[in-house]
């Protein structure tokens, strides 16, 4: 595994719609492993492939219960609304208020190519929406309801 450099705001790949992954190859499996290692190294709660310079629809998240990988994720349903503070590994030292669905259901493939369905609420739902936004070239500053003074205390992670 390898820690990859994280792309920072200003790079056009962060504003580009990422492409579907047609097939889970060894290269994709290696990329997922590297993304997970990179996320841990950066102390992040999640990471999307464009953040490591790869224009593919792959995300990883870990909120303390082990890494979850979703390839070609699609939000199937979304309910409720919650406003909370988010950071992003590609936008250092900034935290903003973002409105997200409170509960979502996402389908996709796991790193082995098996179809999975993830039901999430709270911070996991938020992290998944944040990462899926990255795949559509959307950053938290695009959704910002205002700057927050400080990193959210309840989230030890720096961002995602
Ligand atoms: Ni982010």
């Amino acid at each position: 595994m390898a820690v990859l450099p994280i792309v920072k705001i200003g790079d056009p790949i962060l504003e580009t719609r990422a492409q579907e992954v047609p097939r889970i190859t060894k290269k994709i499996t290696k990329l997922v492993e590297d993304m997970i290692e990179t996320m841990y190294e950066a102390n992040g709660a999640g990471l999307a492939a464009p953040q490591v310079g790869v224009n593919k629809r792959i995300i990883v998240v870990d909120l303390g219960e082990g890494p979850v990988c979703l390839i070609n994720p699609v939000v199937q349903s979304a309910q409720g609304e919650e406003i909370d503070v988010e950071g992003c590994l590609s936008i250092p030292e900034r935290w903003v208020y973002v409105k997200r669905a409170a509960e979502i259901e996402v389908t996709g493939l796991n790193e082995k190519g098996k179809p999975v369905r993830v039901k999430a609420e709270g911070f996991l739902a938020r992290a998944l929406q944040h990462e899926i936004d990255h795949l559509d070239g959307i950053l938290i500053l695009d959704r910002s309801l205002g700057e927050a003074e400080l990193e959210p205390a309840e989230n030890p992670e720096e961002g995602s």
Side-chain angles (χ1 to χ4, degrees), residues 51 87-89 130-131 134 160:
Q51 292 183 279
C88 180
L89 294 175
H130 176 120
E131 300 313 332
H134 274 301
S160 50

Side-chain angles (χ1 to χ4, degrees), residues 44-90:
L47 194 67
Q51 292 183 279
V52 292
V54 178
N55 187 32
K56 294 189 188 307
R57 302 187 77 78
I58 304 172
I59 63 172
V60 295
V61 297
D62 188 348
L63 299 181
E65 296 184 356
V68 174
C69 166
L70 280 171
I71 297 168
N72 301 336
V74 176
V75 177
Q76 299 292 347
S77 66
Q79 288 181 318
E81 282 180 0
E82 277 176 5
I83 295 171
D84 209 336
V85 177
E86 292 182 25
C88 180
L89 294 175
S90 295

Side-chain angles (χ1 to χ4, degrees), residues 8-116:
K8 298 296 193 302
I9 187 165
D11 190 308
I13 198 167
L14 294 177
E15 296 164 23
T16 305
R17 188 180 189 278
Q19 295 176 339
E20 304 278 328
V21 175
R23 204 160 63 86
I24 313 296
T25 59
K26 276 186 184 166
K27 204 173 157 188
I28 295 292
T29 307
K30 170 78 163 59
L31 172 63
V32 169
E33 288 173 2
D34 290 348
M35 283 174 60
I36 291 169
E37 189 173 355
T38 303
M39 170 177 70
Y40 290 149
E41 174 72 19
N43 231 356
L47 194 67
Q51 292 183 279
V52 292
V54 178
N55 187 32
K56 294 189 188 307
R57 302 187 77 78
I58 304 172
I59 63 172
V60 295
V61 297
D62 188 348
L63 299 181
E65 296 184 356
V68 174
C69 166
L70 280 171
I71 297 168
N72 301 336
V74 176
V75 177
Q76 299 292 347
S77 66
Q79 288 181 318
E81 282 180 0
E82 277 176 5
I83 295 171
D84 209 336
V85 177
E86 292 182 25
C88 180
L89 294 175
S90 295
I91 311 173
E93 302 300 317
R94 287 184 74 179
W95 294 278
V96 298
Y97 290 96
V98 179
K99 182 159 72 180
R100 301 286 187 189
E103 295 175 36
I104 59 166
E105 200 167 337
V106 185
T107 56
L109 302 174
N110 69 11
E111 67 281 5
K112 291 174 179 143
K114 184 175 171 243
V116 288

